[in-house]
Amino acid sequence: MRERKRGPARIVRTLLPVVFVFGLAVGNASTVAAQVENQESPIVTCEACHGDPRFLVGKETAEEQAALLVPDSLLLDTVHSQLKCVDCHPGPAMGYPHGPQVAVGCGTCHESEQTDWEVSIHALDVIEDGDAPTCAGCHGVHEVYSIDDRRSPTYPLNVATMCGRCHADPSIIGTYFSSPEEAQARVAVEQYHETVHGAALERAGLALSATCNDCHESHRVLPASSPESSVNRANVVKTCGDCHVGILETYEEGSAHGAAYREHLRGPTGHEAPACVDCHSAHSIVEADEPRWFVGVVEECGKCHEDVYETYFSTYHGQVTALGFELTAKCSDCHTPHNMRPATDPESSVHPLNLVETCARCHPEANQSFVRYYAHGDASDRERYPVLFWSWLFMTTLLVSVWTFFGLHSLFWLIRVTIERARGTGHGT
Amino acid sequence: MGRKLASSDRGAGPYIWRFSGIERVLHAMVIVSFFGLVITGTPLLYSHMPWARTLIRMVGGFQAAGFIHRICAVITFGYFFIHIGHLTYRIAKSTNKKRFFWGPDSMVGQPRDLQDIRDTFKWFAGKGPRPQFDRFNYMDKLDYWGEFWGVTVIGGSGLVLWFPVFFSKVLPGWMFNVATIIHGIEALLATGIIFTIHFFNVNLRPEKFPVDVVMFTGRATLDYMKEEHPLQYERLSREGRLGELIAPPPSRAAYLWSVTLGLIALSLGILLIGLIIWALIQGGWR
């Protein structure tokens, strides 16, 4: 990168005196002329004008002032400190005085970033005269710092704020993400602060935690619907796995979800096999130790595993979960979070041979008889759980018949006493 | 003075003893423990209902609820075995064993009760007079034996669920599922019977509305006994034993406390039944 910058820079540096002499010969700007008279050197630097606040007389807006007042000191500790003005603004070299100058494309040096950006949703919008960011929109104009520099808007701790300038701006969100399918995009930045990733960055100050560009890429930002997108279903497992290497291994190597995901299988409910975001969500990822995670994950699993979701709530585990407590066993406590396998798989945590060990995580004294508990027993399923069905039927019959008999008894009693009282013959009057 | 709030004070005195001190204490234990059990147990049965969350948080979370539930279970076993012990003592002491089990003072169901049921339904249909009851009618016996059955069944299944590791040594694990079903439905039956049928029979039916505190004060007026337990009254008069049972009127404080606590218990029970009905309407019978 740096090698490439030096080429044009050297050429420009060599040409600079020539350029300015030429410029002076035809120029009539009094400031420049005065400066030349006052200085012994015939070399005029950009700083001479653009470093002097008086140069801004008549420039009202902050944008104009910022664009025009560019003292050398401003660039001194930027990533571009080795560059000269004309490296990016070759215009003045072509004549003086110079009108508004357009910078050369950053892609002149940053070729691959330019290429990535050009296919991004941001570039598409720019081409359509939208207000999506070009390079400067994210990196700044003159004060461009390295992504490792705390001051850079692209420094990990600053990225969410930087993206949020647009993605949390109600007017921009309203323009670009107004359709129902884009509901998630409307709250993405806002929700991010509450996620485990956002909390790690902002509350724990952990610069390594994932921020916007870690999942969405820095330059090739694409909507999740695009097959090329890093957050498309087809790619998102790899994207998460870039950081969560161990989880990715477990998921891909043996889990039923990983295998089905690889095969693009759909479950009986028509859902595709779950990728990371299906259980963890995209922008409301919470730490898997939090109560709200434990209670919420059952709902996530239940979206596909409908029947076992129902039967789970007929057990004590499920009842306490439904009451909003995290302590009793949730899906992942028995089936593991990422290594879930069918009970027929000898490596499954719920294979009969492994049940004692699995149950013993919470019930240390669990034994072979103890684990014959039906964790998803269903009293309405006469085929699979006859003993539960008949117990249920017997108890229900008992309840209904006893209550019906005495309920009618009470009702008749009330009617008879009311009749007697109307006739003036009742008791207790 | 007009009509009394408590129907056990209806009409004219003197007061007659109906329940002994130990019976009243045991019944108070039943009330306290039963409310504790229902309040901490029902939220599990209807855990999807918003009120279940509220109720369980009010008692301090599900672990606190579980603790209270077990404390109340201990009280339940306590009154159950105190009663068994007391009963054994009374049987041993009784001089007429046959009369103890098979007489008007016995809780054992007898042919007389079947006749009473038949006569009551005739009365309902307007084809006979109001049946005359002795000391304990068949509804009292339902409550009594219901308590026996309930404590045994709910208590037994509850113990299995309380000590699963211990019971897993003698029972297969799926018995915990069975115990859960039995415990829940039988508890619902008990709740349903006590908070509707029992409440109606002893408090809410027009003759007794709004509350009958005889089980709290232990005594009721002679007029009450003549109407509610005419056969007992006649029997005692005939045998000349009525005088033995004459009681001083309850103190003003005891009376007011009895009425107040009785009405609170009634309201709370009806509220709980309301919550259960709400849950059944919304979720159906599962």
Side-chain angles (χ1 to χ4, degrees), chain A residues 23 26 49 169 231 235 251 275 279 318 351 379 424 426:
Chain A
V26 296
C49 296
D169 179 335
V231 292
N235 309 318
Y251 172 84
C279 301
H351 185 274

Side-chain angles (χ1 to χ4, degrees), chain B residues 9 13 18 22 40 46 75 79 83 95 105 121 127 148 163 171 177 193 205 222 235 253 275 279:
Chain B
D9 291 64
R18 176 153 165 79
I22 190 166
T40 54
Y46 301 107
I75 297 175
Y79 71 66
H83 175 66
T95 47
D105 292 319
F121 275 87
K127 290 184 176 156
F148 255 85
F163 303 104
L171 299 171
N177 298 82
I193 289 289
R205 59 186 159 95
L222 198 60
R235 185 163 51 80
L275 295 179

Side-chain angles (χ1 to χ4, degrees), chain A residues 18-159:
Chain A
V18 182
V19 166
F20 272 91
V21 170
F22 178 73
L24 280 172
V26 296
N28 57 1
S30 59
T31 48
V32 175
Q35 198 172 25
V36 173
E37 280 166 23
N38 293 343
Q39 287 187 358
E40 291 194 2
S41 162
I43 297 169
V44 179
T45 62
C46 304
E47 168 99 349
C49 296
H50 290 280
D52 187 345
R54 286 173 299 173
F55 183 66
L56 296 176
V57 172
K59 307 296 179 193
E60 299 295 334
T61 68
E63 286 81 17
E64 282 178 307
Q65 294 185 2
L68 289 170
L69 185 65
V70 193
D72 284 353
S73 59
L74 193 66
L75 279 81
L76 209 58
D77 57 351
T78 68
V79 74
H80 292 150
S81 62
Q82 298 299 312
L83 297 188
K84 295 293 176 204
C85 306
V86 287
D87 289 347
C88 299
H89 303 282
M94 306 309 290
Y96 183 86
H98 52 84
Q101 295 299 314
V102 178
V104 293
C106 303
T108 311
C109 298
H110 303 279
E111 202 177 324
S112 69
E113 288 82 354
Q114 171 84 19
T115 315
D116 281 346
W117 179 82
E118 276 167 5
V119 297
S120 78
I121 185 80
H122 287 154
L124 187 69
D125 183 63
V126 168
I127 292 162
E128 290 169 356
D129 287 336
D131 45 12
T134 57
C135 314
C138 299
H139 292 275
V141 182
H142 292 110
E143 293 155 287
V144 179
Y145 301 108
S146 152
I147 58 161
D148 301 326
D149 190 314
R150 187 69 179 87
R151 293 167 297 177
S152 169
T154 58
Y155 184 73
L157 295 190
N158 304 330
V159 166

